[in-house]
Amino acid sequence: MAERKRPGDDAAGGRPEDEAFDDAVADDEVLDDDVEADEPVTRGGGTAVRERTENADKPKSMKEGRRGGRIGGFFREVVSELRKVIWPTRKELLTYTAVVIVFVTVMTTIVAVLDYGFGKAILASFGN
């Protein structure tokens, strides 16, 4: 059988969020006219100011804030997570299934033999 390419086999995965950005591209960005290149860049520490709007005091209702509400959002997230799963190939699935069946059979046999042995030992100790 021909090997099928699965998501996750390559580094980028073909998804836009996996794109790598080159540092040289980030350095070539145009600076604002009022910001000098020699000034140190700060990492915050100031106080954020939020402008008040008319609806800032009112909480959004479930249908206004989210398309589909909580249940729809839950199912969208489930579908999103299932797209990230690397599903096994048919060969891998059959191999894993065989390993599980063999393991369960071996463990069942061990437990059955021990049960039989302990049962006979108990019956022998009580004189039956």
Side-chain angles (χ1 to χ4, degrees), residues 57-111:
D57 295 334
K58 299 178 193 173
K60 290 184 176 180
S61 71
M62 295 302 292
K63 292 186 180 179
E64 287 177 356
R66 301 178 201 154
R67 196 177 80 216
R70 285 187 175 181
I71 295 173
F74 171 76
F75 284 112
R76 278 191 299 278
E77 289 182 23
V78 167
V79 169
S80 170
E81 289 299 321
L82 285 176
R83 286 186 182 144
K84 296 176 187 177
V85 172
I86 299 175
W87 297 100
T89 62
R90 184 173 184 85
K91 183 179 178 183
E92 290 172 337
L93 182 66
L94 292 174
T95 302
Y96 298 154
T97 303
V99 166
V100 167
I101 290 173
V102 168
F103 178 77
V104 168
T105 304
V106 168
M107 293 306 294
T108 303
T109 304
I110 291 171
V111 169

Side-chain angles (χ1 to χ4, degrees), residues 10-16 18:
D10 55 343
R15 294 188 303 255
D18 289 340

